[in-house]
Amino acid sequence: MIRVFKMPLEVAAFADSVRRQGKRLALVPTMGFLHDGHVSLMREGASRADMVAASIFVNPTQFGPNEDLSRYPRDMAGDLAKCERAGVSVVYAPEPAAVYPPGYQTYVDVTNASQGLCGAKRPGHFRGVATVVTKLLALFRPHVALFGEKDFQQLKVIEALNRDLDLGCDIVGMPIVREADGLAMSSRNAYLSADERKRALALSRGLLAAQALVRGGESEVEPLLAVIRRELQASDVREDYVEIVDAHTLRPISRIEPGVPSRALVAGFVGTTRLVDNMSV
Ligand code: PAF
């Protein structure tokens, strides 16, 4: 039977007992409304540790004032069933006041990895992500924590805070899980109407077209950006950003160099829904 904790003290006692028993613990932090991408993280966690814990918390500090905090999709009963099926034994599902009690004043800023891309378009977003993830890693003290590569910049931010704050966790990035037609799985896909769902394919189609150009020998970045933008425009997806970056530093590049991993990242609005996707190129 899956255990659900609401308070940090319960998690701390649980984490102590896991450590005392000499067991390895995996943590999968989530905001709930789970899909197969989350399940892949949980199953990988189960293969790397003796126990898997998940958190389900729609973290208010990572939402901007005009973003979708109040309407973010939620389904606690469905999520708990999915967690149980994926081998999770403990879920931490706190209320916001348990994470940010009155008088709360400590935030984590990851300066470099939070620059540009989503960091530039969503001011304060990564401060909220870094703060909650640091709190979760400090509370659970997991041996391994798993995150999806769909939020590629977020993964870099978390790797940096884990390194810089000596948290000693093994941070694992897992490949994007896609629907059969290529759409990257995301809890926010639930917002899309049938027509928007079709138009949303422009993100993955553009990235695949860029990947195909590189495989065909293109090494200049401009034509890659152009082919992605063409797909967005053809489907009436409003670009938030399209960039090709060095996959380690996230700095924009102008040429793909052999042996240097690079990543194409895109964010766009389909109607009012903002979606992100990325692929290695
Ligand atoms: O990727 C997410 O779901 C969230 O940003 C995370 C990492 C759980 C922090 O709230």
Side-chain angles (χ1 to χ4, degrees), residues 29-31 59 62 129 132-133 147 151 154:
T30 81
M31 298 209 299
N59 173 36
Q62 68 188 75
V129 170
V132 81
V133 171
F147 299 87
D151 297 298
Q154 166 173 284

Side-chain angles (χ1 to χ4, degrees), residues 52-148:
V52 185
S55 60
I56 298 179
F57 178 59
V58 182
N59 173 36
T61 61
Q62 68 188 75
F63 288 79
N66 299 318
E67 294 184 349
D68 55 344
L69 173 61
S70 60
R71 65 181 191 115
Y72 196 84
R74 293 162 208 247
D75 176 17
M76 189 54 80
D79 285 350
L80 291 179
K82 283 179 191 154
C83 284
E84 193 149 24
R85 280 201 296 275
V88 171
S89 43
V90 161
V91 167
Y92 178 41
E95 293 300 323
V99 180
Y100 304 110
Y104 188 88
Q105 56 183 305
T106 305
Y107 293 88
V108 177
D109 242 320
V110 178
T111 52
N112 289 356
S114 301
Q115 301 291 310
L117 303 164
C118 288
K121 297 292 180 179
R122 302 182 66 190
H125 170 64
F126 286 123
R127 183 181 195 240
V129 170
T131 300
V132 81
V133 171
T134 301
K135 283 173 67 85
L136 290 168
L137 294 181
L139 192 55
F140 279 92
R141 287 175 293 132
H143 298 82
V144 53
L146 301 100
F147 299 87

Side-chain angles (χ1 to χ4, degrees), residues 130-174:
T131 300
V132 81
V133 171
T134 301
K135 283 173 67 85
L136 290 168
L137 294 181
L139 192 55
F140 279 92
R141 287 175 293 132
H143 298 82
V144 53
L146 301 100
F147 299 87
E149 284 185 344
K150 187 175 76 65
D151 297 298
F152 196 74
Q153 188 177 16
Q154 166 173 284
L155 180 60
K156 298 289 155 191
V157 166
I158 292 166
E159 285 170 354
L161 71 84
N162 179 60
R163 209 170 39 238
D164 292 352
L165 298 177
D166 304 315
L167 296 179
C169 181
D170 185 9
I171 303 292
V172 175
M174 290 289 292

